[in-house]
Amino acid sequence: MNNFRPFDRALTRWLFILLLPWGAYFLWMWSKMMYESEEGLFVGTAIVWADWAAHMSLAAIFAYRDFGDWLSQNPLFLGQPVQYHFAVNLISGTLLRFGFSYRTAFILPSFIACFAFLIVLFFFYKHILKRPSHAFFAVSFFFMNGGLGFLVLLKHLAGTPNVGKPEFVTALPDYGIHWISILVSEFFPQRALLLGLCLMLPFLFVLYRWVEKKFQGPLPWHLILYGAGSSFLLLVHAHSYMTFVFLCGVLGLFSLRQYKAWLFIALGAALTALPLYMLFMKGGVANGFLEWYPGWMANPKEQPKAGFLAFWFINWGFFLPLAIWGTLRLRLYRNPLVIGGFGLFIVINLVKIQPWVWDNTKVLTWAHLLLCIPVTAYLGYLWEQRGNIGISVAGKSLAVIFGILIVASGGMDAWRLAEGRHNYMMYTREELALADRLREISSVSDVVLSSADHHHWVSLTGRQQLMGYTGWLVSWGIDPYAREKDVREIYQGGPAAQQLIDQYNIRYVIVGPKEREIIKPVNEHYFEERYPVVLQLGTTKIYCATRGKILDNTFGYHG
């Protein structure tokens, strides 16, 4: 016990203080994030409901297709290979393949990544900020991001006319607030981003330590292996990998004298990054990616509610002014990660990373993570002001006031997320049964025609849809609109319907509630006249559209 230093006790104490509230919070949230009941499959938040249907479709190809067919076809768009960072869905699909439930397959990887990231982030901040107490507050500032949206809630509580109660005060587009809480919009729903945070941060931490020590320690083969390993982030989360490459450039500028070490890292990266790109990314669609788009959501095309500077003050509040002033006052411009944070902030304000401009937040999150360093350092500096009692009290008061203002909106939304509704239905029990039955009677190469519904149960089968939800396709840079016309032509039994069925080699046609709702009208008489029903459950009928082939009667099933 005599050798146990007070520093270690402080570190242990603050790590416990971190895990007590945040550990309990994440345990509670993940326990509510997905579950099954007699009614069907449910998820815990609205954005998880929106995002995870795509992830379930991608996971299904790893669960139910043969190895050689995993990435050859995007399950939501025939003729387009999978060119989406797939690592997290490979993990979930493998768990499904081994018989685990949807809940285990999707919650377990994210749960592990969540707690791993939480702990690594604490030690990352502790190393840079020196004090474990500062690391605790930096972690909290990261998770409780937000701007001035809390003022809208205060106006509502004060009875201001025409101001309703917002569900989330960080998501108020009518007020020009688009920087949504990381917990609400990214940490839980964006599975690839979470795994990217978990895996990239250790790579960045190790690299930063090497730069600090001027690469005294790692041997050349260590650097080559490091570069090779870091390139696999491309398959985990492409935005995090792009961020990592950018930050490597910034760190490199701060350590030009150690250029030989950087050459070894670059060699290792080239040995893996180039083959990975050629195998999984080359030839992909690029519609709407990396376009000049100054201002992000304050770009005139987005019809912003305020000018550029006002937009960022509304969205980030005092966070950005404190980051700038803290960097200057404490000379943190000598820290490459702080400069990298500002650099990322500038990039997302100049370039649209992918078709949906809001997705710039996947890089902005990393900027926010790094800029928590000068913000926390400066608030700690204010708290620790010495001198007469007036200066000390003023410093502590300012630190508390600014700290509260920084976390007010994000803290409110974190609470709202935890105590809000957690029963968003993904798939009914009947839809789950349909997916199981279609998987039984079909082969992995069969093409299925269905409506482009956001939550169509066909996406659970691992079978190939002619076209899935258009919103996802557009966000991936795929133009679905010509295909959409073909789908409508077939369902309406138009003159070119049979030609299109033959052209796309469609094996099964789904006619159910979603098709009748989305495609109006569906010419059911057309299909009844020409094709046998091979599966019917409730009001859903599945027709076999392959001409000239005798079907085994055992395929017929009516529930």
Side-chain angles (χ1 to χ4, degrees), residues 253-267:
L253 291 174
F254 276 75
S255 54
L256 289 174
R257 292 184 179 181
Q258 289 79 47
Y259 69 92
K260 291 182 180 179
W262 285 105
L263 289 175
F264 283 119
I265 292 174
L267 173 62

Side-chain angles (χ1 to χ4, degrees), residues 437 440-441 533-535 550-558:
R437 289 293 298 145
E440 291 172 5
I441 69 172
V533 175
V534 294
L535 175 62
I550 300 174
L551 293 171
D552 187 330
N553 289 333
T554 60
F555 281 2
Y557 173 81
H558 298 269

Side-chain angles (χ1 to χ4, degrees), residues 95-294:
L95 291 174
L96 288 172
R97 201 177 191 94
F98 281 100
F100 288 92
S101 66
Y102 282 118
R103 187 182 194 190
T104 300
F106 282 84
I107 296 300
L108 184 60
S110 295
F111 179 83
I112 294 172
C114 166
F115 276 86
F117 173 71
L118 177 65
I119 293 170
V120 173
L121 185 63
F122 174 78
F123 282 99
F124 173 77
Y125 282 142
K126 188 268 166 191
H127 176 78
I128 297 172
L129 296 167
K130 307 305 179 186
R131 299 191 178 186
S133 57
H134 290 187
F136 167 80
F137 285 106
V139 171
S140 299
F141 292 155
F142 172 75
F143 283 120
M144 292 191 286
N145 67 294
L148 302 183
F150 69 91
L151 296 176
V152 177
L153 179 60
L154 293 180
K155 285 184 178 181
H156 168 76
L157 295 176
T160 303
N162 301 319
V163 178
K165 182 180 179 181
E167 181 178 10
F168 294 112
V169 297
T170 60
L172 297 170
D174 290 341
Y175 292 87
I177 297 176
H178 300 275
W179 174 231
I180 306 174
S181 161
I182 288 170
L183 294 173
V184 173
S185 65
E186 295 183 314
F187 204 71
F188 293 110
Q190 296 192 32
R191 305 178 71 240
L193 173 64
L194 174 55
L195 189 60
L197 288 168
C198 170
L199 295 180
M200 179 187 143
L201 189 59
F203 274 104
L204 184 63
F205 195 1
V206 168
L207 187 59
Y208 178 69
R209 294 289 299 272
W210 284 346
V211 170
E212 278 186 315
K213 297 178 180 179
K214 300 181 179 180
F215 288 95
Q216 298 298 314
L219 299 173
W221 68 271
H222 293 153
L223 301 173
I224 293 172
L225 284 177
Y226 172 88
S230 65
S231 296
F232 283 91
L233 291 169
L234 181 64
L235 306 182
V236 175
H237 189 238
H239 300 81
S240 292
Y241 180 69
M242 290 189 295
T243 300
F244 178 74
V245 172
F246 178 88
L247 293 175
C248 283
V250 176
L251 288 163
L253 291 174
F254 276 75
S255 54
L256 289 174
R257 292 184 179 181
Q258 289 79 47
Y259 69 92
K260 291 182 180 179
W262 285 105
L263 289 175
F264 283 119
I265 292 174
L267 173 62
L271 290 173
T272 49
L274 291 177
L276 290 173
Y277 175 79
M278 297 297 290
L279 281 171
F280 302 113
M281 301 293 175
K282 187 177 184 295
V285 292
N287 299 323
F289 287 83
L290 298 177
E291 292 184 0
W292 179 255
Y293 208 82

Side-chain angles (χ1 to χ4, degrees), residues 271-488:
L271 290 173
T272 49
L274 291 177
L276 290 173
Y277 175 79
M278 297 297 290
L279 281 171
F280 302 113
M281 301 293 175
K282 187 177 184 295
V285 292
N287 299 323
F289 287 83
L290 298 177
E291 292 184 0
W292 179 255
Y293 208 82
W296 187 45
M297 299 300 291
N299 185 284
K301 293 181 180 179
E302 302 300 322
Q303 300 180 348
K305 305 294 183 181
F308 179 77
L309 294 178
F311 168 85
W312 278 110
F313 186 63
I314 293 169
N315 278 270
W316 271 25
F318 290 95
F319 184 88
L320 189 57
L322 285 171
I324 295 171
W325 180 244
T327 299
L328 296 173
R329 183 68 180 83
L330 303 179
R331 298 182 179 180
L332 290 174
Y333 45 77
R334 297 178 293 187
N335 186 305
L337 293 181
V338 173
I339 296 303
F342 282 111
L344 291 170
F345 180 80
I346 292 170
V347 168
I348 69 98
N349 276 287
L350 294 178
V351 177
K352 181 169 67 169
I353 306 298
Q354 67 182 75
W356 189 28
V357 65
W358 188 86
D359 275 344
N360 276 21
T361 54
K362 296 174 182 179
V363 174
L364 184 59
T365 295
W366 281 105
H368 173 70
L369 184 151
L370 296 175
L371 294 181
C372 284
I373 295 168
V375 169
T376 307
Y378 184 66
L379 294 183
Y381 167 80
L382 289 176
W383 180 266
E384 293 160 7
Q385 285 294 298
R386 298 291 185 266
N388 61 52
I389 190 169
I391 293 176
S392 178
V393 170
K396 287 179 170 56
S397 299
L398 285 173
V400 171
I401 291 170
F402 281 129
I404 291 173
L405 290 173
I406 286 172
V407 303
S409 294
M412 288 178 181
D413 280 3
W415 173 261
R416 175 66 178 140
L417 192 67
E419 59 88 30
R421 174 185 168 189
H422 298 125
N423 60 340
Y424 295 85
M425 178 176 281
M426 290 281 284
Y427 300 99
T428 65
R429 183 57 58 187
E430 180 179 293
E431 289 172 329
L432 295 173
L434 281 165
D436 290 340
R437 289 293 298 145
L438 180 58
R439 196 181 306 117
E440 291 172 5
I441 69 172
S442 61
S443 65
V444 293
S445 61
D446 289 335
V447 178
V448 180
L449 176 66
S450 67
S451 65
D453 183 73
H454 180 263
H455 283 82
H456 205 292
W457 55 266
V458 171
S459 64
L460 301 177
T461 63
R463 303 305 183 246
Q464 181 62 52
Q465 287 181 264
L466 179 61
M467 189 185 79
Y469 179 55
T470 56
W472 292 323
L473 300 175
V474 170
S475 73
W476 296 338
I478 299 172
D479 183 357
Y481 299 110
R483 181 74 56 85
E484 189 175 37
K485 291 180 181 178
D486 290 345
V487 169
R488 189 169 296 277

